[in-house]
Amino acid sequence: MPKPPTELPDHQVTPNPKLEKRTRRQFSTEYKLRILAEADACRHGELGELLRREKLYSSQLTTWRKELAESGVEKLHKTAPGPTPSKTPEQKRIEALERENARLQQRLSTAEDCLSLQKKALSMLDHMNNGSEP
């Protein structure tokens, strides 16, 4: 005899769609300049408190200072996420074509070697057939 179904309370949680996908934070130029000014005004031991309060890393301050020193406020405007690519799409395409060319050159060389071997074998067979006939 099967057990009767138990009545369980409905505890299903519906997630908040805003929390489902985390997005990268983007900081405005004004915000970056304000934080850099606050960081420069901090006394010994206060910088960590500022970073925790703003949920920032010290490496972000270093990067912002470097960008500001190199190119001024314009560089602070927008920072592309992730590392900069080492090769352009054209360079990647050229490398792929060069690899394909090398592969095809190897196949061509192998085919030419096979043809040469077949010609030599045919020449030997002709020589043997012609030598046995008086």
Side-chain angles (χ1 to χ4, degrees):
M1 180 151 219
K3 288 185 177 181
T6 58
E7 294 293 323
L8 294 176
D10 189 21
H11 290 291
Q12 186 171 2
V13 176
T14 56
N16 185 352
K18 291 181 181 178
L19 299 177
E20 283 297 304
K21 183 176 180 186
R22 295 187 61 152
T23 58
R24 183 181 297 266
R25 292 189 298 171
Q26 294 181 354
F27 304 105
S28 67
T29 305
E30 295 79 24
Y31 177 80
K32 291 178 183 181
L33 289 172
R34 182 177 61 81
I35 294 297
L36 287 175
E38 284 184 37
D40 292 339
C42 286
R43 286 182 273 149
H44 182 70
E46 294 177 346
L47 183 59
E49 181 183 335
L50 170 70
L51 293 174
R52 284 189 296 277
R53 183 184 74 220
E54 299 294 329
K55 296 181 178 145
L56 297 172
Y57 295 98
S58 60
S59 61
Q60 288 173 303
L61 290 181
T62 305
T63 303
W64 294 348
R65 282 187 179 123
K66 182 180 173 186
E67 290 172 352
L68 184 62
E70 286 178 355
S71 304
V73 179
E74 301 84 31
K75 181 76 174 189
L76 282 179
H77 181 62
K78 185 178 178 189
T79 306
T84 56
S86 60
K87 297 175 185 166
T88 63
E90 292 83 20
Q91 290 172 330
K92 289 179 183 178
R93 178 75 175 141
I94 289 170
E95 284 184 358
L97 290 172
E98 287 174 347
R99 283 192 304 270
E100 183 182 4
N101 190 10
R103 182 181 58 81
L104 291 174
Q105 289 288 342
Q106 180 65 34
R107 286 186 64 189
L108 177 63
S109 174
T110 303
E112 287 175 344
D113 290 344
C114 287
L115 284 174
S116 175
L117 185 62
Q118 287 175 349
K119 287 178 185 177
K120 287 179 184 177
L122 185 59
S123 174
M124 287 174 52
L125 287 173
D126 283 345
H127 183 67
M128 286 174 44
N129 286 339
N130 289 339
S132 63
E133 292 179 14

